[in-house]
Amino acid sequence: MIIGIIIAVVVVILAFWLISAYNNFVKMKNKIEEAFATMDVYLKKRWDLVPNLVNTVKGYAEHEKSTFDAITKLRSKSYDSMSANEKVETNQALGGMLGTLIATAEAYPELKANQNFLELQKNLNELENDIADSRKYYNGCVRQMNTAVESFPSNIIAGMFHFEKYRMYEVDDASERQNVVVDFGNAGQAQ
């Protein structure tokens, strides 16, 4: 009789733990989705701003065709049809290219004084700050989920219900972490 009660208590405790752990995974998954949705709004705004920025710079820096072509090729995909991971990867690459584009623009005094360019650059700077803030929140949510997926005993529940690790949104390329140096010599003068 006592053994039956002990077994019943253990089963009830395990059931509560299982339900609680499952619900925690659901909460973490929903936080990640909410964090990505917030970040995605800013990424989409940047995605839509890029063609205007490229076209403005393109008029001044015709010899930078490879940068423009790379950005155009990257943007040839439909943003809305990308998965979350594809959006993260594409925007990581786009961020690096935008640094090169802005550095190119810095070599042209007439462009730097162009009101349209200044407005686009201001909008881009604001978006980059918003993206950085939302990326921190997203990565914090992902870190919490990934820790739970890998930690014992919650990894048992994660495996049972197919909760998986998420990918962090971080700067991959070491060159993107450094300041871009542009030296055109005499080529930087507008013609």
Side-chain angles (χ1 to χ4, degrees):
M1 179 78 166
I2 293 180
I3 294 176
I5 293 173
I6 291 173
I7 291 173
V9 169
V10 169
V11 168
V12 168
I13 290 172
L14 284 175
F16 278 119
W17 174 78
L18 178 75
I19 292 167
S20 175
Y22 177 83
N23 288 338
N24 282 334
F25 275 110
V26 170
K27 287 177 196 174
M28 287 185 284
K29 180 177 144 297
N30 289 338
K31 279 180 76 173
I32 290 171
E33 289 172 358
E34 178 241 345
F36 184 82
T38 300
M39 183 174 59
D40 195 41
V41 168
Y42 299 124
L43 294 174
K44 177 71 168 124
K45 284 181 181 180
R46 179 174 71 177
W47 186 262
D48 293 339
L49 179 70
V50 167
N52 295 329
L53 190 60
V54 167
N55 288 333
T56 301
V57 175
K58 194 184 271 188
Y60 289 87
E62 287 298 325
H63 68 279
E64 287 296 316
K65 186 172 179 357
S66 63
T67 301
F68 304 135
D69 290 346
I71 291 173
T72 301
K73 181 180 177 191
L74 187 64
R75 287 198 76 261
S76 66
K77 299 177 184 177
S78 171
Y79 188 82
D80 294 331
S81 67
M82 288 186 222
S83 71
N85 281 340
E86 288 173 326
K87 288 178 181 180
V88 167
E89 289 171 12
T90 302
N91 274 287
Q92 286 174 327
L94 184 62
M97 289 179 196
L98 285 176
T100 302
L101 184 66
I102 295 299
T104 299
E106 294 294 321
Y108 296 90
E110 296 86 8
L111 177 58
K112 287 177 17 181
N114 178 298
Q115 191 60 37
N116 187 33
F117 175 74
L118 292 174
E119 185 65 28
L120 289 170
Q121 191 174 24
K122 177 183 169 226
N123 289 343
L124 181 62
N125 286 337
E126 290 171 1
L127 280 172
E128 291 299 329
N129 289 335
D130 291 338
I131 289 169
D133 290 341
S134 61
R135 184 177 61 216
K136 287 178 195 173
Y137 178 65
Y138 171 79
N139 284 342
C141 294
V142 168
R143 183 189 68 245
Q144 185 179 8
M145 172 64 105
N146 290 350
T147 300
V149 167
E150 293 180 321
S151 299
F152 182 80
S154 60
N155 63 347
I156 296 168
I157 304 303
M160 287 173 54
F161 294 103
H162 307 289
F163 288 103
E164 297 179 0
K165 288 177 59 177
Y166 283 78
R167 181 177 179 180
M168 293 273 198
Y169 182 7
E170 53 193 14
V171 178
D172 286 335
D173 187 15
S175 65
E176 289 182 42
R177 296 174 195 259
Q178 300 172 4
N179 290 333
V180 177
V181 177
V182 178
D183 182 12
F184 288 112
N186 291 331
Q189 297 176 4
Q191 301 182 8

